[in-house]
Amino acid sequence: MPRRRFGTFSGGINLPAEKDATLDAAIAPWPVQELRIPLCPLPAAQAQPVVAPGDKVKPGQLLARTDDPQQVNVYAPLAGVVGDFTDVLVPDDFFGWRSSRAIVLKDLQPASQPNRPDFDWEHADAAELLERLREGHLLLCSGPFDNVSRWLESAIESAADTLICNVMENAPLVTADHRLLAERGGDVVRGLAILAKALSVAHTMLAVDSQRTGAYRSAARLAGALKIDTIALAPKYPIEAQAMLTQVLTRRQVVPGRSTLSVRVAMVDAATCAAAYQWAALGLRQTHRVVTMAGRGVKSPGNYLIPFGTDAAWLLAQACESEPPLRVHGSPMNGRELAVGAVVGPRTNALLGMEDSYAGPPTPCIRCGWCSDNCPARLNVAALNDDFELAHLDGAKARCVTACVGCGICTYLCPARLPLMSRCQQLRQMILREAKAATP
Ligand code: SF4
Ligand code: SF4
């Protein structure tokens, strides 16, 4: 794997990895008894069911269809019998969680989808690949975009010339993408090649943690054969943030409040690349997610292949020998507290048991400056906290809160236990919503 010198970014911290319990554990299945599959996986018009209670369904079968280009069709992860309809919670950037109607699937059978290699992706041109990916109704597993097809359209409109697969994953405890690249690197790299060909980009990179390159040798060899650069970088947190990784790899500064497409860089994660390959080459629907389960109270830490629609709280409770003080969906640095009714979906890279570091109420800011000193976006976080408490949106705008990458370092370091990241992200979302509403 070539080692080249790249720049770095200001701020950031070196975090304890705390990954030993799951780093080398192979991805394993986890038995589930019932699924509740959201009909509204994206915040757009609900997909309409094409099955009724009592129907038997096969893995990969269509459950609900949509004509809305913002939404995606819904497919069965496993064979089973359709039950009643219910409500579930799915992640939402603004509110934390959002309600969605869902199809219950019970009497589950462990059968998997049959391969249908009916599309020759290696000889397809960009337009054929884009059409094939559009038919896949795929979802992005990280980043500001949700719908793969819409993201590809936006990347083409932005004339993206660089595609980066981000496998930095340097938040503590989480190893889902690491295991995916180590065990199923062929799927990830071929998926990245398919997306690169669909976008017709000039340069494609696979960015990995320099401490784990030994596990990625076969993936890096295949990447080289497919003209993809594998780049190993030191894991200063939050290099996994899209704006930081773009800056380090391309020296381009992402416009605050915009995605990396503002500087012609398209960024994707390992799980989305694997899903793109499995659909485009093998005809397999995206119905599962590799989820890290680890942390306080988890008796069998590891990475598990979990079908979409699995009750996340039930799953974590199954894995825990005692109730952890805090249950987290996603990264321990910037994930959200697990809510009752939440289900596993494409964005569920981890379910963690944690200590509650906010035990006790927040106290007033003591102006120690730790938050601002380490903020990778170089924000005056204490002043932004004042803006939040005083509902001073113009102040937050002037202080460029839209550059916040939501890394959580400020919250992690604050001795006053102030929920700084959440406050900065709320200010950021309010300003972006205001700007969107003002756009004709
Ligand atoms: S203000 Fe935003 S970018 Fe800065 S440390 Fe806090 S969460 Fe990270
Ligand atoms: S880290 Fe907390 S206490 Fe220190 S300046 Fe920032 S907000 Fe204030």
Side-chain angles (χ1 to χ4, degrees):
M1 199 173 293
R3 297 227 175 195
R4 277 182 270 154
R5 288 186 74 80
F6 286 91
T8 182
F9 56 92
S10 310
I13 53 175
N14 289 311
L15 289 168
E18 298 177 34
K19 296 177 191 264
D20 290 352
T22 60
L23 204 61
D24 298 323
I27 298 167
W30 190 282
V32 292
Q33 279 126 29
E34 183 180 283
L35 301 175
R36 289 176 296 143
I37 304 152
L39 292 169
C40 228
L42 301 182
Q46 178 183 304
Q48 293 308 309
V50 296
V51 290
D55 287 357
K56 287 187 176 170
V57 296
K58 294 179 184 159
Q61 183 176 328
L62 181 69
L63 297 179
R65 185 193 305 281
T66 180
D67 295 326
D68 183 347
Q70 309 281 351
Q71 192 53 275
V72 289
N73 287 350
V74 177
Y75 298 91
L78 299 169
V81 178
V82 176
D84 287 333
F85 292 86
T86 185
D87 292 308
V88 295
L89 293 180
V90 294
D92 181 87
D93 284 346
F94 192 68
F95 299 106
W97 297 99
R98 157 177 75 75
S99 179
S100 165
R101 288 299 278 167
I103 290 179
V104 175
L105 208 55
K106 51 192 187 177
D107 300 335
L108 301 173
Q109 307 294 322
S112 50
Q113 296 181 49
N115 283 6
R116 283 168 296 155
D118 55 356
F119 181 77
D120 181 4
W121 69 272
E122 286 174 275
H123 296 101
D125 63 22
E128 289 166 338
L129 282 170
L130 284 170
E131 180 58 18
R132 174 72 173 179
L133 291 165
R134 195 186 59 75
E135 290 166 358
H137 291 263
L138 301 169
L139 294 165
L140 281 148
C141 300
S142 69
F145 288 84
D146 292 310
N147 180 324
V148 168
S149 193
R150 304 282 299 167
W151 166 68
L152 289 167
E153 282 169 22
S154 299
I156 290 167
E157 274 167 26
S158 309
D161 60 2
T162 303
L163 175 64
I164 300 171
C165 179
N166 179 354
V167 199
M168 292 310 300
E169 200 175 52
N170 63 329
L173 295 169
V174 187
T175 54
D177 280 6
H178 158 74
R179 288 308 317 165
L180 201 53
L181 187 59
E183 287 180 51
R184 303 176 186 188
D187 288 10
V188 175
V189 171
R190 289 188 188 97
L192 180 59
I194 287 170
L195 294 169
K197 200 168 171 189
L199 289 174
S200 308
V201 288
H203 196 185
T204 308
M205 296 184 239
L206 174 65
V208 300
D209 185 330
S210 58
Q211 300 171 115
R212 320 212 192 290
T213 50
Y216 308 142
R217 283 207 189 95
S218 69
R221 259 196 306 276
L222 178 62
L226 293 171
K227 298 191 170 45
I228 295 169
D229 277 344
T230 303
I231 293 157
L233 296 167
K236 181 172 77 161
Y237 186 81
I239 196 169
E240 63 184 25
Q242 295 201 350
M244 301 300 120
L245 189 57
T246 299
Q247 185 184 324
V248 168
L249 289 178
T250 67
R251 295 171 196 259
R252 300 178 196 174
Q253 293 275 353
V254 176
V255 179
R258 305 268 307 274
S259 77
T260 59
L261 294 180
S262 63
V263 290
R264 302 174 67 205
V265 173
M267 195 167 298
V268 69
D269 57 89
T272 306
C273 289
Y277 169 74
Q278 285 161 4
W279 161 250
L282 308 176
L284 300 175
R285 295 291 181 185
Q286 181 191 28
T287 54
H288 288 64
R289 178 70 163 105
V290 176
V291 180
T292 301
M293 287 201 279
R296 167 85 191 267
V298 177
K299 62 176 182 276
S300 42
N303 284 288
Y304 300 95
L305 190 62
I306 308 293
F308 293 170
T310 302
D311 186 297
W314 169 85
L315 185 62
L316 191 56
Q318 295 285 306
C320 286
E321 56 195 356
S322 58
E323 175 79 3
L326 187 67
R327 300 172 306 169
V328 173
H329 176 281
S331 157
M333 292 298 289
N334 55 10
R336 44 179 68 87
E337 190 172 348
L338 193 55
V340 174
V343 291
V344 170
R347 302 229 159 203
T348 314
N349 62 336
L351 293 172
L352 307 173
M354 305 279 300
E355 295 293 344
D356 190 355
S357 54
Y358 301 111
T363 55
C365 170
I366 56 170
R367 300 289 165 186
C368 64
W370 292 354
C371 49
S372 305
D373 289 351
N374 295 281
C375 171
R378 313 319 288 154
L379 297 176
N380 184 343
V381 189
L384 284 167
N385 184 57
D386 294 342
D387 290 333
F388 181 88
E389 289 180 353
L390 298 168
H392 191 199
L393 208 55
D394 286 342
K397 216 181 283 179
R399 274 181 258 281
C400 207
V401 72
T402 49
C404 171
V405 298
C407 65
I409 287 178
C410 47
T411 305
Y412 177 74
L413 294 176
C414 179
R417 297 191 296 268
L418 289 160
L420 300 170
M421 180 197 77
S422 153
R423 292 179 172 185
C424 287
Q425 283 288 302
Q426 284 180 57
L427 289 168
R428 178 179 187 273
Q429 293 287 353
M430 281 190 268
I431 290 167
L432 293 180
R433 283 191 163 203
E434 204 179 79
K436 197 171 171 189
T439 308

